[in-house]
Structures are given as C-alpha cells and as structure tokens.
Amino acid sequence: MFYAFGKFLCKVFFHLYLKTKVIGDKNIPPRGSFIVAGNHVSFLDPVAFGIASPRRLNYMARDTLFRNRLFGWVLRHVSVFPLKRNSANIGAIKEALRRLGNGEGLLLFPEGTRSADGCLKDPLEGGGFLARKRGASVIPAYVQGTDKALPKGTKFIKPKAIRVIFGEAVVFPQDKSLLDEDVTAEIMRRIAVLRDSLRV
C-alpha cells in the first residue's frame, strides 16, 4: 500500500508537472522476474522508471541514504535496499538475486552512477552477472529529460518534459562461458539504440 500510494502521487506529479511520456511499457513482462536496465543522469531516474513501469520495481541505493532512520524506513517500504559503493557488495547482490528469484522486478543502472554530461558511460560488470545468473528478462530502458529537470548539483525540480522508453525484453542464457562484461556490453548497446531512436 505504501509503495502504491507513493507511486500514485509521483505519477500525478510527473505527468502534470513534468509532462512525462512513456513508450514501450508493454515490453515489461506481465509475470516473472525482470530487470529494467537504464541510463542514469539524475536523482529523478529511479522515480521516472518506477512510475513508467506497470509492475513494481525493486531498487538499490547507496547505504549512506539509510543513515537517517526515518528516511531509511521510507526507502525500505518502497522496495529500496542498501548498496555499498567501492566494495564487493555481496549482501546487495544476494538480496537482488533473492528478489529476482521471487519473480520480482529490479531496476539496474549498468553505469553504476550518474553521468555528469548525459552521455552513456562505460558499464560495470555487475549488471551482466545479475542478468545472466537468474535468467530474468532484461528490458533495456532510456530516460530523457531528467537531467534538465533536476541537474546534478541542484535541489529544485524544473518543469522540463521527460520521456521514458522501454525496449524489447531479452533473456541471456545461464551459461558460464558467457562473460559478464559481454552481457553488460550488449545491454548498453541496446540502451544506446533506444537513445538514438528518441533523436529521430
């Protein structure tokens, strides 16, 4: 209920204030585990992908955000779990695999952190591991305009139009001969195709 209510409020705000347009939301599978793999340019991105997805998403966020008890409580009640940066993150990986194993959805930023200039960055290998390990459907996604609505280093949201596009789902084989970096590279290639489609 907490997640649904929060999503409703955010959806109203994004559609009325930010004129958000969603493309390809039918590519989200109606059942089973899935990973939304998207670009990352703003703090608004997790919310943008969350309100655009017809199914509930789980999120990883840096552990420092959980230091405030009240904010940490809110995060946990909207399906966010902590991720330690610059470490092995065994706990976060296990939790992500557990939720995927339960048939849930997971939002993943293969780049690991926000892009300062809006361009796609070199990805980390962790995304490829999660995509291959559980055999979940991977939906490439691209968000446009969040970096204009809430640029890095600013605190106030500007009324800029946002577009979210979901590509066709792909399932990577659970094959040990398939390298994690190759999987991640293919995911980023598909994200780049979505980016280019919005430029046309």
Side-chain angles (χ1 to χ4, degrees), residues 69-82:
R69 287 188 178 182
L70 178 59
F71 191 51
W73 181 89
V74 172
L75 290 176
R76 287 187 174 88
H77 280 76
V78 290
S79 300
V80 182
F81 57 97

Side-chain angles (χ1 to χ4, degrees), residues 152-173:
K152 197 171 184 178
T154 61
K155 296 181 179 180
F156 300 101
I157 301 174
K158 302 174 183 178
K160 302 292 184 179
I162 290 173
R163 286 195 287 178
V164 179
I165 181 170
F166 296 109
E168 293 184 1
V170 58
V171 177
F172 293 96

Side-chain angles (χ1 to χ4, degrees), residues 129-167:
F129 172 79
L130 289 173
R132 182 182 56 79
K133 188 69 175 177
R134 280 292 184 221
S137 297
V138 179
I139 297 89
Y142 190 83
V143 62
Q144 182 185 71
T146 50
D147 55 337
K148 302 293 191 302
L150 188 64
K152 197 171 184 178
T154 61
K155 296 181 179 180
F156 300 101
I157 301 174
K158 302 174 183 178
K160 302 292 184 179
I162 290 173
R163 286 195 287 178
V164 179
I165 181 170
F166 296 109

Side-chain angles (χ1 to χ4, degrees), residues 100-113:
L100 289 172
N102 289 337
E104 301 176 38
L106 175 71
L107 175 63
L108 187 69
F109 295 122
E111 299 163 282
T113 187

Side-chain angles (χ1 to χ4, degrees), residues 5 11 21 23 33-34 40 42 49 58 66 79 101 103 111 123 144 180 188 195 198:
F5 181 66
K11 200 167 187 176
K21 180 179 180 182
I23 305 167
S33 61
F34 68 100
H40 195 14
S42 169
F49 286 123
N58 290 275
F66 290 80
S79 300
E111 299 163 282
Q144 182 185 71
D180 294 337
M188 291 304 297
R195 174 202 61 195
L198 290 177

Side-chain angles (χ1 to χ4, degrees), residues 2 4 22-23 26 41 47 55 61 68 73 77 81 83 91 114 122 124 128 138-139 143 152 160 168 188 191-192 197:
F2 195 90
V22 179
I23 305 167
K26 291 184 178 180
V41 291
V47 185
R55 287 181 59 192
N68 180 287
W73 181 89
H77 280 76
F81 57 97
L83 171 73
R114 287 172 295 161
D122 291 334
L124 304 177
V138 179
I139 297 89
V143 62
K152 197 171 184 178
K160 302 292 184 179
E168 293 184 1
M188 291 304 297
I191 293 174
S197 72

